[in-house]
Each structure stands twice: as C-alpha cells, then as structure tokens.
Amino acid sequence: MGNEQGASILGIRSASLDEGALEALLTADGHEVRWCSLDEALRRLGQEPLPDLVIGYHDDETQEMERLFVHLREGRHQDRFVPCLVLCPKGKTRARVQALQAGADECMDREGEPSEMIARIGALLRIKSIQDRMAKSRRELQRRVATDRVTGLLNRANFEVRCSQELERARRYQEPLALLVVDLDGFREFNRQEGEGMGNSVLTETGQILEEVVREVDLVGRLSADTFGVVLPNTHVTGAVTAAERVWRAVGGRTFVHEARTARMTCSVGIAFFPARGVRVPEDLLRRGREALYRAKQEGRNRICLYQAAHYLYEPGEAQDESEVEPNHGGA
C-alpha cells in the first residue's frame, strides 16, 4: 500500500515492547498491526502480500534482529522495499547505530513521544510510496523493452535471448527442443488492402491465439512483421507436430473482427528440432525453422513443414471450421 495512513504493519514480538500500547497508538492512526515472532516475520516477508512497514526492537546486547535486516536488504535488490523502524532502549546510542548500520531505515527510543513515532512512520511510508512507484516504472520499462509494441509478445531480440537459454538448458539436461516458425499467409498484401488498423488487429489476435493453444512453459514471440516464433521445451517430433497443427487449426478457424469488418487468414508453419546435426546455437535452429517455413510456402502455403535431415511436408488441408478440418500428409 505504502500510504501515509491505512498501512499494513508487521510487528515483531519482544518482551521489551508493550504490544498493547503500541498497537492502540497505530490503530488510532488508521493502521493495521499484526504481531508475530521473528521467524514468522521472515517467512511472511518472502510471500505476497508484503507488509508496508516492519517494527521491531533492538538491543546492542542481542543481535537477533540482524537476521531481519539482512532479509530486507536482499528483498530490496528485487524491488521489494519494506521499510523497517527499530525501537531501542532509551539512551542506547550504540544500539541505534548498530541497527542503522545493519540496515534499519529509522530508529527511535522505545519510550519516545507517540507523536514523533507517528511522524516517523509517516515519513517511512512516504519513502515506500516513492520506492514502489519507481519499481513499478522500472518493471514497465523492462516490459516495454522486452515486448513487441503491437502484440505484447516477446520481441525478436528478447525471444532470441530466451531461445538461447532454452537451447542451453536442453543441451545441459539432454532434453529435446522444438521451434515453430509461424507465418500468416499473404499478410503483407492483406495489410495493404485492409489497412494498418485491421492488420494490427489480426497480428494482436494471432499472438493471443498462439499463447492460448500452446503450453504455459512455451515461449511465444514476434520475429518480424507477420512471422511468429514458438519455442517448445522438452518436446519431441510428435509433440511439435501436434502443437503446430493446433496453431494451424486455431488461426485458420478464426474469424478476425475489426470495426465491424471481418477477415479470415491461414498460416504456414515451419518446424525445427534439437538435438539435430548442425544445430549448436539459436541461429541454427531459427534458420532451419525458416527454411522449413519457406518450403511450406513454396508448396502452396497453408501447410506445415518439418526440417529434419530432409524436409518432410505436412499438409493439414484447407482451414475452415476447426471441427471440419482433417489433416493430409505428404512427403518432400
């Protein structure tokens, strides 16, 4: 929340704190307080939702709270900022210095003036609000840099990075990997005739279709104007063909709508695999997927082509209603 009032506060139990009096003070100011042990606090700070503020007690003769400070510092590296107010024995300057050096955001005497405590808590919550807005802006910027503006999918650069990571994972654990390269048939001419608005609508909905029909672990990205890529981790040939046919059926069976206008599209799909001879880096996998796609286009579009030692053309047949389509097979 991070608001100056109405905050969620996590209090760490200590025999040196008067929980009742402190809770009454904070509740009167509109905050919600939950008390727990230090171990329980550490567990809660690793889960969502996070509290807006932590309050604890520190004495220079006990170092237990330093576990909390370490945990909070680690969370800040992940944009999980939770401020910490530490209460110390009256006149214990050393305890306050230790707490601040260890990572506390604010310290004050346990017997301090209640109005001062409320003011310090308000200041910490304002800082949290600023930190939260900055973290949100950073995440949004990262999302924009990593995603395609039109479809919201991974852009080509980020897709290739993720593809490289999945290829390395497959190599390390000796698992299969497949890549689908999906192209909308005749899209460039369609875009010229129907206009950018309709074209962008088709691209966006195609991206949504791809994300709907593949698994959650699969990666979907936009490679170029009308071409998409799908990385299928831990997927053999049969599974890749099944996924490609789901894509082909879903795209061909969809009626695209934009501003009361409708359109139908078909797609061609190229499939490449790992492990395979000559596939060592993501560029090898993408090149073979594009070569298989090119062969599907040469054979008349609206087809699925597998790249193996030689191309194998898989012809699903005309895309009408999904329930009506039956695949045909052909070799190449």
Side-chain angles (χ1 to χ4, degrees), residues 37-332:
S37 66
L38 177 59
D39 287 336
E40 178 62 21
L42 294 175
R43 284 193 293 271
R44 290 192 180 187
L45 288 168
Q47 305 169 353
E48 296 288 348
L50 293 172
D52 296 312
L53 176 73
V54 176
I55 296 179
Y57 176 82
H58 179 71
D59 191 322
D60 56 12
E61 296 178 359
T62 60
Q63 307 302 319
E64 188 179 26
M65 281 288 287
E66 291 190 5
R67 294 167 55 203
L68 174 69
F69 302 147
V70 170
H71 192 93
L72 293 175
R73 286 201 307 269
E74 292 175 348
R76 289 170 193 178
H77 292 307
Q78 306 167 15
D79 278 342
R80 296 163 63 91
F81 178 73
V82 180
C84 180
L85 171 64
V86 174
L87 304 178
C88 298
K90 185 176 181 179
K92 287 277 191 173
T93 302
R94 181 182 173 188
R96 297 171 66 170
V97 170
Q98 283 183 346
L100 291 169
Q101 289 177 337
D105 298 289
E106 183 63 276
C107 290
M108 67 174 294
D109 290 343
R110 172 184 50 191
E111 297 86 0
E113 176 66 32
S115 59
E116 180 185 357
M117 179 178 294
I118 293 300
R120 290 180 184 271
I121 288 174
L124 288 174
L125 292 174
R126 288 193 296 274
I127 292 172
K128 175 174 173 56
S129 180
I130 294 170
Q131 292 285 345
D132 287 349
R133 289 198 300 269
M134 291 174 62
K136 183 178 180 181
S137 297
R138 283 193 295 270
R139 290 192 296 269
E140 177 62 19
L141 179 60
Q142 290 169 351
R143 186 192 68 79
R144 291 183 180 181
V145 169
T147 57
D148 173 64
R149 179 183 59 83
V150 175
T151 64
L153 302 175
L154 296 173
N155 60 26
R156 176 170 178 164
N158 201 39
F159 180 82
E160 290 179 353
V161 170
R162 299 290 300 278
C163 181
S164 179
Q165 293 170 345
E166 290 299 329
L167 187 59
E168 180 58 32
R169 191 195 313 275
R171 181 181 291 109
R172 181 185 308 122
Y173 296 106
Q174 299 182 348
E175 295 176 346
L177 180 78
L179 170 72
L180 310 182
V181 181
V182 182
D183 188 86
L184 295 174
D185 296 323
F187 177 80
R188 293 183 182 180
E189 181 62 28
F190 171 85
N191 199 42
R192 282 194 293 269
Q193 292 180 353
E194 300 295 333
E196 185 177 353
M198 184 67 171
N200 285 346
S201 180
V202 170
L203 291 172
T204 300
E205 194 164 346
T206 298
Q208 294 169 353
I209 291 171
L210 294 176
E211 290 190 311
E212 289 168 2
V213 302
V214 301
R215 303 167 302 179
E216 188 173 345
V217 297
D218 300 330
L219 302 176
V220 183
R222 186 183 180 195
L223 300 182
S224 63
D226 53 354
T227 306
F228 301 83
V230 183
V231 174
L232 307 170
N234 201 15
T235 302
H236 292 283
V237 174
T238 302
V241 171
T242 299
E245 189 168 347
R246 283 202 304 268
V247 168
W248 172 83
R249 288 181 182 276
V251 173
R254 181 68 61 93
T255 299
F256 297 92
V257 180
H258 176 71
E259 295 181 348
R261 290 183 295 155
T262 62
R264 300 294 294 268
M265 299 290 296
T266 61
C267 69
S268 299
V269 185
I271 312 177
F273 303 94
F274 175 84
R277 182 181 301 172
V279 176
R280 289 177 289 274
V281 294
E283 290 77 9
D284 299 330
L285 193 66
L286 286 164
R287 183 176 64 254
R288 290 193 170 188
R290 288 186 179 279
E291 289 179 8
L293 174 66
Y294 181 69
R295 179 63 187 274
K297 294 286 191 180
Q298 281 186 317
E299 294 293 330
R301 303 178 177 179
N302 196 22
R303 286 164 169 76
I304 298 170
C305 183
L306 290 67
Y307 188 105
Q308 292 178 295
H311 295 86
Y312 178 83
L313 191 65
Y314 180 89
E315 299 184 38
E318 291 189 16
Q320 300 296 331
D321 185 272
E322 290 188 32
S323 61
E324 300 175 359
V325 179
E326 294 295 334
N328 298 313
H329 296 76

